[in-house]
Amino acid sequence: MSAPVSQIREPLITGHKTYHQITEDLISPTEKTPSFAWTVGFIISAIFLGLYVFSVLWTIYMGIGTWNLNRTVGWGWDITNFVWWVGIGHAGTLISAILLIFRQKWRTGVNRAAEAMTIFAVICAGQFPLIHMGRLWMGFFIFPYVNTRGPLWPNFNSPLLWDVFAISTYFTVSLLFWYTGLVPDFATVRDRAKGFRKKVYNFLSFGWTGSAKHWQRWESLSLILAGLSTPLVLSVHTIVSFDFATSVIPGWHTTIFPPYFVAGAIFSGFAMVQTLMLVTRTVLNLKDYITIEHIESMNKVILLTGTIVGVAYITELFIAWYSGYIYEQFAFFNRVFGPYWWSYFGMMFCNVISPQLYWKKSWRRNITLTFFLSIVINIGMWFERFVIIATTLARDYLPSSWSYYSPTWVEICLFLGTLGLFFFCYLIFTRVAPVVAVAEIKSILKSAGDQYVGKNAVHQHHHGDEHSEVESH
Amino acid sequence: MANHKEVIYGLYNDETELLRAVKAAKNQHIEIMDVYSPFPVHGLDPILGLEESRLHIAGFVYGMLGTLTAFLGMTWIFTKDWPVIFGGKPYWSVPAFIPITFELTVLFASIGMVVTFYIVSGMGPGITNNYLDDRITDDKFCIAFDKSEVSESDAQAFFQSTGAAEVNVKHIN
């Protein structure tokens, strides 16, 4: 808080808010009856969720044969969706953990919703490996529990098992981090509520009082959880990429995969955060808290990570050629010009070319363009995973077993269904919890509110004097 | 906190006023019971004389416990309990153990610290703690005195001189 604020920094909270107004603005969406837009969104999500439940039951009842996987293409839309959803989750942790460590104040406007997005995205991701098992009810076999068969253990040397540990740790830690941040805000909701609602929020707020010692521990805990989440989030997509990179399949067996997957994950995650934030700030009227400044900052991250991804694609092609190894060369030639050429070019266009528009400042600050591009990027990142998985598997060493894979209606419905699951959870979240971290916004008001910094500042000097006197660090 | 207490507390409108008042109380050697605020007020801890939280030490211990559980667990399973050769690799293939060892380190440290945080703070699902005023989680900053240690007249005088917006007395259990 006491860190000097650059004069050129734009305010992150507009509208000359007081502490009480912040409470009103951020808590009231949970207290009012839902808006028409919310209700429509919720009904649509619920329908898609229903479709999901039906497709899962159909898959379990009829078997995995209802998918179009075949002898060489053993992973199709399912694992594509898995990787896509896990990747989306990464932006939430980046915002909540890495930006906390870097003391980026703009994270406070979006971290709560982004963390919620992480949790729901990881829930969606986790569905696919489980359904893919076919016998869903034996899913617990993946965990090393003491059993009556020896005990017989899972293979700890397998990247698929590393994934089990990575995803479940990631989910648990993200949930703990998110909830710990929510506790003080639930207390704010509790203190405004009456009757049954008060009881519910009293339970959810864990008996929070706002005592100085609790805040001190809370800040210490948040910082350490951020410190732990930072390597964790990098490890999660690294391990997801190991699913491919530790295999001996040309096109998968590449050392560039871990950094390339992590950059792609953050890229797609930020695109999803943009999609959600642009809708949320409009529907819940949070434009004073999620400002153009926030959107521009996120677009800068999208530009950076999109460019890293682009460099990775080109490096892959170069290394394949440079290796002098014909199977590797063929794998990449096939990716670009093979039967799935359309997905490769879709990926290149959406992920590498489209974010380059963000070099122009006015375009980074254009809401319509941002919304449109955020969806384009999400489609592009889905294509990326499909390119890696399907094109590689469809052309293996034996031309006699080459095949082509396209999904059945069940696979398509499963994917659309997880979108329903995701938005269903997110919409409930916007009704139950404040979507912007109330306490954290209040803590940056004096250093980022537009009455203190920027063009419209009214008590800037006054504020500076006060703080140099009382603050020690 | 278990026994019956009478608390006199003053509410301030701004954290700078709160910090000034806490400083004044320290200078006048008035025993502060607790300070409550809607968000973490930076610079408060040293004035209040709060020691640094030791939660990070607990976190380190839990993390180490996770590291050892994972690494020794996998070592025992793959060298003693049920050795299996995977792809001609040694039983004790340390590099392959690194990802899971790392994940469990993070998992143990996080769960352990969060649980410790709630236990030492006397919080948890279903727990109701006494809080002095509904507006403390909104926009009021509060200094509380225990009436058995600070007389009401002293407290009133203190709150008046430091510009508290409101002074109240409350019984808490």
Side-chain angles (χ1 to χ4, degrees):
Chain A
M1 235 171 104
S2 59
V5 181
S6 161
Q7 292 299 311
I8 56 166
R9 281 258 182 239
E10 300 220 10
L12 296 169
I13 306 161
T14 56
H16 285 24
K17 300 291 180 193
T18 63
Y19 291 135
H20 180 66
Q21 270 171 304
I22 293 176
T23 312
E24 282 294 327
D25 291 350
L26 299 182
I27 305 287
S28 64
T30 69
E31 293 166 341
K32 292 180 198 150
T33 45
S35 66
F36 180 72
W38 186 91
T39 315
V40 171
F42 189 73
I43 291 169
I44 295 171
S45 306
I47 292 170
F48 276 90
L49 178 61
L51 183 69
Y52 176 70
V53 172
F54 173 75
S55 319
V56 172
L57 292 176
W58 184 266
T59 303
I60 292 170
Y61 184 71
M62 301 294 284
I64 292 292
T66 52
W67 300 359
N68 249 353
L69 300 177
N70 53 47
R71 264 195 358 143
T72 59
V73 187
W75 285 354
W77 272 44
D78 51 347
I79 303 300
T80 303
N81 298 337
F82 161 70
V83 181
W84 188 72
W85 276 120
V86 179
I88 283 173
H90 280 53
T93 319
L94 184 105
I95 290 173
S96 60
I98 301 182
L99 297 186
L100 178 71
I101 290 174
F102 283 124
R103 299 277 180 220
Q104 291 296 305
K105 285 186 184 130
W106 63 268
R107 72 178 272 289
T108 34
V110 290
N111 72 331
R112 170 70 45 73
E115 286 169 41
M117 176 198 80
T118 294
I119 290 161
F120 306 141
V122 175
I123 291 174
C124 292
Q127 310 289 318
F128 288 100
L130 282 171
I131 315 165
H132 193 164
M133 287 175 190
R135 286 181 287 173
L136 188 60
W137 53 96
M138 298 210 172
F140 65 94
F141 276 25
I142 58 178
F143 290 106
Y145 66 101
V146 180
N147 54 64
T148 53
R149 283 160 279 132
L152 194 58
W153 303 99
N155 179 5
F156 295 105
N157 297 349
S158 162
L160 299 180
L161 190 71
W162 303 345
D163 234 3
V164 171
F165 278 87
I167 303 290
S168 47
T169 301
Y170 185 45
F171 177 73
T172 313
V173 175
S174 303
L175 190 67
L176 292 173
F177 198 3
W178 181 64
Y179 200 86
T180 303
L182 265 170
V183 162
D185 290 354
F186 277 148
T188 308
V189 183
R190 170 197 72 195
D191 292 347
R192 291 162 57 89
K194 288 186 177 65
F196 180 67
R197 189 178 155 82
K198 196 174 189 85
K199 284 211 174 83
V200 171
Y201 281 97
N202 187 39
F203 182 83
L204 293 175
S205 60
F206 285 12
W208 178 264
T209 58
S211 154
K213 188 67 192 173
H214 294 176
W215 275 123
Q216 185 206 37
R217 291 196 188 114
W218 182 88
E219 282 208 297
S220 170
L221 179 67
S222 304
L223 196 59
I224 302 165
L225 284 181
L228 288 168
S229 302
T230 301
L232 176 66
V233 68
L234 301 180
S235 85
V236 171
H237 230 60
T238 297
I239 292 175
V240 170
S241 82
F242 283 169
D243 291 347
F244 305 96
T246 60
S247 71
V248 287
I249 313 280
W252 285 7
H253 188 68
T254 58
T255 49
I256 200 176
F257 262 23
Y260 150 30
F261 267 52
V262 171
I266 293 166
F267 178 56
S268 67
F270 268 90
M272 187 59 105
V273 174
Q274 292 282 35
T275 314
L276 290 176
M277 286 301 112
L278 291 173
V279 177
T280 307
R281 75 195 278 273
T282 311
V283 174
L284 299 182
N285 198 17
L286 297 172
K287 287 175 188 159
D288 287 332
Y289 302 94
I290 303 165
T291 63
I292 298 287
E293 191 61 19
H294 291 88
I295 290 164
E296 192 192 353
S297 297
M298 290 193 277
N299 279 339
K300 284 177 183 166
V301 178
I302 288 178
L303 174 59
L304 172 73
T305 49
T307 309
I308 293 174
V309 166
V311 170
Y313 294 161
I314 292 160
T315 308
E316 262 190 336
L317 294 180
F318 172 77
I319 293 296
W321 166 76
Y322 188 64
S323 70
Y325 179 58
I326 58 161
Y327 297 103
E328 191 76 13
Q329 288 170 342
F330 172 75
F332 283 90
F333 180 85
N334 175 56
R335 247 184 219 181
V336 185
F337 301 110
Y340 293 102
W341 63 271
W342 47 271
S343 64
Y344 191 84
F345 283 96
M347 164 186 105
M348 275 297 197
F349 174 77
C350 298
N351 296 347
V352 185
I353 297 169
S354 74
Q356 301 308 319
L357 295 178
Y358 287 149
W359 285 105
K360 195 169 154 61
K361 182 166 174 141
S362 60
W363 289 354
R364 284 199 300 270
R365 298 174 79 92
N366 183 320
I367 291 183
T368 318
L369 181 74
T370 301
F371 187 74
F372 176 70
L373 277 191
S374 72
I375 291 169
V376 167
I377 290 166
N378 268 316
I379 295 170
M381 284 308 291
W382 191 90
F383 271 136
E384 181 202 291
R385 280 62 178 253
F386 183 76
V387 164
I388 291 171
I389 293 169
T391 59
T392 309
L393 292 175
R395 291 286 178 273
D396 74 351
Y397 292 100
L398 281 177
S400 59
S401 55
W402 284 3
S403 60
Y404 191 82
Y405 159 82
S406 47
T408 61
W409 66 268
V410 183
E411 288 167 282
I412 296 170
C413 290
L414 278 171
F415 174 59
L416 296 177
T418 47
L419 287 171
L421 172 65
F422 177 79
F423 286 105
F424 184 84
C425 294
Y426 186 80
L427 287 169
I428 290 181
F429 156 73
T430 62
R431 297 286 311 148
V432 172
V435 288
V436 175
V438 183
E440 288 180 62
I441 281 287
K442 285 176 189 166
S443 75
I444 66 160
L445 179 68
K446 294 265 167 98
S447 56
D450 65 347
Q451 68 269 52
Y452 299 100
V453 291
K455 292 188 292 287
N456 303 325
V458 282
H459 17 237
Q460 201 166 4
H461 297 297
H462 175 66
H463 159 72
D465 297 344
E466 297 264 320
H467 274 251
S468 54
E469 175 197 326
V470 287
E471 294 208 354
S472 59
H473 61 106
Chain B
M1 288 286 255
N3 38 16
H4 197 72
K5 241 189 214 173
E6 212 174 2
V7 175
I8 178 159
Y9 66 94
L11 297 177
Y12 297 83
N13 287 328
D14 197 89
E15 74 269 27
T16 47
E17 291 169 16
L18 175 86
L19 286 169
R20 234 181 284 134
V22 172
K23 245 186 184 173
K26 284 285 161 186
N27 290 337
Q28 296 167 31
H29 302 289
I30 308 177
E31 182 83 7
I32 293 175
M33 190 188 94
D34 209 342
V35 173
Y36 302 92
S37 58
F39 58 85
V41 177
H42 286 191
L44 178 65
D45 300 355
I47 304 176
L48 208 52
L50 286 184
E51 280 171 39
E52 200 195 335
S53 165
R54 285 167 299 170
L55 210 53
H56 55 272
I57 302 172
F60 180 77
V61 173
Y62 294 126
M64 281 294 115
L65 204 64
T67 312
L68 292 175
T69 307
F71 193 77
L72 298 180
M74 286 187 285
T75 299
W76 173 74
I77 287 167
F78 274 180
T79 60
K80 294 280 184 301
D81 189 51
W82 198 301
V84 182
I85 296 175
F86 295 104
K89 301 290 193 300
Y91 292 134
W92 196 53
S93 36
V94 175
F97 294 170
I98 290 173
I100 291 180
T101 305
F102 171 75
E103 298 300 330
L104 284 199
T105 305
V106 172
L107 185 68
F108 276 49
S110 309
I111 294 180
M113 268 197 317
V114 169
V115 171
T116 308
F117 166 72
Y118 287 120
I119 290 174
V120 296
S121 304
M123 287 192 278
I127 290 178
T128 307
N129 286 322
N130 278 295
Y131 46 95
L132 294 173
D133 200 289
D134 279 349
R135 288 163 299 166
I136 290 169
T137 54
D138 179 8
D139 62 346
K140 292 286 184 270
F141 301 80
C142 168
I143 298 180
F145 298 121
D146 186 343
K147 268 183 85 178
S148 60
E149 301 195 17
V150 181
S151 75
E152 181 151 2
S153 56
D154 282 359
Q156 288 286 7
F158 170 79
F159 285 131
Q160 193 146 34
S161 68
T162 51
E166 207 180 306
V167 182
N168 292 311
V169 178
K170 195 171 176 178
H171 290 275
I172 59 169
N173 293 312

